[in-house]
Amino acid sequence: MRQGNCMAGAWTLGIESTAHTFSFGLVNEKGEPRPSSSDTLRPDKGGIHPREAADHHVELSALLLSKLLADNELDSTDIGAVSYSQGPGMGACLRTGAAAARSISTHLNVPLIGVNHCVAHIEIGREQSGCKDPILLYVSGGNTQVIARLDGRYRVLGETLDIGIGNMLDKFARNHGIPFPGGPVIEQKALEWLEDNPNASLEGLELPYAVHGMDLAFSGLMSAANKLVKEGKSFEAVCWSLQEHAFAACIEVAERALAHTGKTEILLGGGVACNQRLRTMSEIMCNERDASSHCPPRMYCIDNGTMIARLGWLEIKNGRTTLLKDSGIDQEMRTDETAVSWA
Ligand code: AMP
Ligand code: MG
């Protein structure tokens, strides 16, 4: 049975495939989101190999799309446009999503739109939290950026100079035998440490503080954390210290961005924004300066097809579509490459 008040062909399908997650999502004719149908490759050992992730995406695509349509009581004729992550990301992974998008849009004879993954994180966050003109703290596996909308673009005011914060957490965890994704386990270990040590102090657990002007760096922090464990400090204690240092650095740059731009809202996005300690730190900082901190539900923090559908819907509403000949991918796509024409 079809969903009530929606015309056939009114839904925008979104396809996410920038890294380890393959995901389909939907928004309706008003741009209202529905939860995604997703699967994430989790290698038992080592990091993510782009080729293996791409194979995973291709293998699961039919199943995930069927599930999404079934969950929403829709069929393929309800899809009126197809949006996909054009970049940034791993080439082999991005190509699987672009190929799926091209074939679905051609088969259904509906418009195609390639969108910027980072901008999609911002737009689903704005839609979900109702904030208007935030500073985005985008903290994911591969990216760490502080972003603000200025002169019709989302501008990167500061970013990591080496690896993404999520990558850093995953690599530190992997070094200690914890498989991907390590971030949630580190959060758990840090909590356990705090429960056992309610008056925990950073004394003896100091790590380098990685703020460089408006930019950040995480690889030195990770090496120093590994060294502390090697020297005999408890792993749980180092997890706690690592979070405190890495998150404080991000929040400091975000706060400076608020001060420089005069904006009054912080929006968290990306997988690391699932972390409750980061959310709390952001709230404390915002409370201290009469600003507000916002974060979408966790299912829209991690990579998801719904955010791609939402941005595709916005772009199409504002008159942009992607021709088949231009529907390639762009591994290096920058957040400020995308003109932002919508309110
Ligand atoms: P993304 O790249 O946006 O899909 O997010 C994936 C990243 O988020 C991985 O590096 C995860 O380790 C990280 N992550 C997910 N949940 C948490 C959490 N609760 N705390 C810290 N990092 C997390
Ligand atoms: Mg992401």
Side-chain angles (χ1 to χ4, degrees):
M1 199 183 52
R2 296 199 170 186
Q3 279 219 339
N5 56 3
C6 193
M7 282 159 40
W11 293 75
T12 302
L13 178 71
I15 307 177
E16 161 57 28
S17 73
T18 52
H20 40 76
T21 299
F22 196 67
S23 176
F24 289 99
L26 288 166
V27 297
N28 68 13
E29 79 281 16
K30 295 186 200 141
E32 293 163 348
R34 295 289 180 274
S36 305
S37 165
S38 312
D39 197 85
T40 298
L41 178 71
R42 293 165 200 272
D44 295 335
K45 266 200 340 226
I48 290 160
H49 191 288
R51 193 65 258 161
E52 284 170 17
D55 288 347
H56 160 269
H57 298 353
V58 171
E59 270 164 36
L60 282 164
S61 58
L63 192 79
L64 292 172
L65 178 56
S66 310
K67 181 174 182 312
L68 180 76
L69 293 176
D71 285 352
N72 288 281
E73 298 173 342
L74 300 173
D75 66 42
S76 58
T77 59
D78 292 308
I79 296 170
V82 181
S83 176
Y84 70 99
S85 270
Q86 200 157 23
M90 298 179 188
C93 300
L94 286 168
R95 273 187 278 278
T96 64
R102 274 192 292 271
S103 52
I104 297 168
S105 85
T106 307
H107 176 71
L108 296 175
N109 195 23
V110 299
L112 178 68
I113 177 93
V115 303
N116 187 319
H117 172 93
C118 304
V119 174
H121 272 292
I122 304 174
E123 290 303 335
I124 195 73
R126 287 178 64 212
E127 191 278 336
Q128 288 287 298
S129 66
C131 63
K132 299 266 171 320
D133 184 22
I135 295 291
L136 179 83
L137 177 55
Y138 173 39
V139 279
S140 73
N143 293 290
T144 307
Q145 297 182 327
V146 176
I147 298 165
R149 184 164 168 172
L150 300 163
D151 299 331
R153 305 260 159 167
Y154 285 114
R155 312 275 172 187
V156 179
L157 304 182
E159 64 188 316
T160 179
L161 300 172
D162 47 35
I163 54 176
I165 185 170
N167 240 316
M168 181 275 286
L169 296 171
D170 296 335
K171 280 187 177 168
F172 172 73
R174 195 184 334 140
N175 246 308
H176 301 280
I178 295 163
F180 174 88
V185 181
I186 291 177
E187 176 172 26
Q188 193 50 40
K189 298 283 173 201
L191 275 177
E192 285 168 20
W193 171 256
L194 266 188
E195 268 170 31
D196 295 343
N197 300 273
N199 300 317
S201 139
L202 286 172
E203 211 181 309
L205 294 170
E206 293 93 348
L207 294 168
Y209 193 63
V211 176
H212 303 268
M214 289 296 285
D215 292 322
L216 299 148
F218 296 106
S219 55
L221 192 59
M222 181 182 69
S223 307
N226 280 326
K227 194 158 161 270
L228 279 185
V229 180
K230 228 180 188 166
E231 287 167 3
K233 292 283 190 291
S234 108
F235 177 64
E236 285 76 14
V238 178
C239 286
W240 172 70
S241 172
L242 185 59
Q243 282 199 165
E244 293 300 303
H245 284 83
F247 296 166
C250 294
I251 296 297
E252 180 180 323
V253 175
E255 177 169 24
R256 205 167 309 141
L258 284 177
H260 284 331
T261 58
K263 296 186 196 279
T264 55
E265 298 163 319
I266 293 279
L267 175 62
L268 302 178
V272 181
C274 292
N275 188 290
Q276 188 55 50
R277 177 60 181 150
L278 179 66
R279 291 172 177 227
T280 303
M281 275 193 191
S282 178
E283 277 159 21
I284 293 169
M285 179 272 281
C286 285
N287 283 343
E288 281 172 0
R289 49 179 306 126
D290 276 342
S292 56
S293 180
H294 305 263
C295 197
R298 285 178 170 79
M299 69 175 166
Y300 293 137
C301 283
I302 56 173
D303 289 348
N304 65 92
T306 303
M307 69 182 190
I308 304 302
R310 169 75 190 178
L311 179 53
W313 175 84
L314 278 169
E315 295 252 35
I316 289 174
K317 205 157 68 95
N318 282 274
R320 194 172 81 79
T321 53
T322 303
L323 297 175
L324 265 189
K325 71 175 177 57
D326 301 323
S327 66
I329 57 145
D330 180 355
Q331 281 178 249
E332 310 293 333
M333 186 180 266
R334 297 275 311 165
T335 303
D336 55 11
E337 258 175 59
T338 300
V340 180
S341 51
W342 51 89

